[in-house]
Amino acid sequence: MDGARLRAAEATPSRTGVRALGAARPRPARPRPWAPAFATRPRRVAPANAAPPRPTPANAARPRPARSPAAWPRRAALALAALALLAPAPARADTTAAETLRTINAVRAAHGAPALRPDRRLARAARAHSRDMVARGYFEHVTPGGTDLRRRVARTGWTRHRRTWRLAENLAWGSGPLAAPAAIVDAWLNSPAHRRILLQRRLRVAGIGVVPGTPFGLPGATYTADFGS
């Protein structure tokens, strides 16, 4: 079933900025030792006094030869390659983000608002938040650990050299045709809170983060749009 959800948030202007908080990196899990998946069994040797084997009828079905274990890793590699082909490429996500920004700017131009310039740091914060929502299964502006919009953006260094700034954020996820950029922007425009952010003249830069998947395990895409003054 196709579907979509939206969220909007704004951060109040600040004259002091927010110091970037360094998140502790999780310790990488130690790789488990690889056990051989294919163990050879010892051959059974018939005793010397064993009875001779019975002759098999001419029309008896021949036993199927056992598949060589050496071919299994190759089949597994082919399966993984097929899954990799099904996964969306990073370039496609970047193209979707650029198309989303072009659609937003077209709407802003129609309403007399200046075009938003792409901002790499805001885009980095937006991608990280979309990825985190999909990975941890939530759909909010504040992470389960309590990190809000300002802190997420501050970690990229965006607020470091700005005496005054303003931030706003729109969230959305969609499945099926509702995951397309035009459908997402149209849904934002039909929500008063999201529409106000999209058309706000004081916002001059934006970063769009689009990742495959949704916070609820459905196929589709999750969008984060971070806007700054």
Side-chain angles (χ1 to χ4, degrees):
M1 178 181 296
D2 301 337
R5 292 287 178 84
L6 308 175
R7 293 278 184 187
E10 292 188 65
T12 55
S14 171
R15 293 187 177 275
T16 58
V18 180
R19 184 177 180 183
L21 302 178
R25 296 183 178 178
R27 297 180 62 184
R30 295 182 179 179
R32 299 179 61 182
W34 177 258
F38 319 109
T40 57
R41 296 182 180 180
R43 299 181 58 184
R44 298 179 61 182
V45 180
N49 58 353
R54 296 179 180 179
T56 52
N59 59 352
R62 295 184 179 181
R64 297 179 62 182
R67 295 181 179 179
S68 172
W72 294 355
R74 182 180 179 183
R75 292 190 180 93
L78 292 175
L80 290 176
L83 290 176
L85 290 176
L86 293 175
R92 181 179 176 183
D94 293 340
T95 303
T96 304
E99 183 180 349
T100 304
L101 185 56
R102 285 195 299 269
T103 305
I104 293 173
N105 279 334
V107 172
R108 286 173 65 91
H111 289 81
L116 297 167
R117 302 188 308 274
D119 187 284
R120 289 183 298 175
R121 291 182 177 179
L122 289 180
R124 190 189 316 159
R127 282 193 303 270
H129 191 55
S130 292
R131 192 179 301 119
D132 189 53
M133 288 191 294
V134 172
R136 296 203 278 174
Y138 70 97
F139 185 58
E140 300 289 343
H141 295 282
V142 181
T143 70
T147 305
D148 58 10
L149 169 62
R150 288 194 287 183
R151 289 183 181 179
R152 287 189 278 108
V153 172
R155 285 175 178 174
T156 68
W158 187 85
T159 61
R160 188 173 302 156
H161 302 294
R162 286 176 166 85
R163 295 182 59 186
T164 62
W165 47 264
R166 179 179 295 272
L167 286 171
E169 181 176 79
N170 280 353
L171 303 179
W173 67 264
S175 60
L178 297 180
I184 294 294
V185 174
D186 186 63
W188 282 338
L189 288 172
N190 284 285
S191 167
H194 298 84
R195 181 185 182 91
R196 183 174 63 250
I197 291 175
L198 289 183
L199 301 180
Q200 198 171 132
R201 294 173 179 268
R202 287 176 293 182
L203 299 175
R204 299 300 179 94
V205 293
I208 313 295
V210 184
V211 299
T214 67
F216 308 104
L218 298 174
T222 298
Y223 288 67
T224 297
D226 287 342
F227 305 93
S229 58

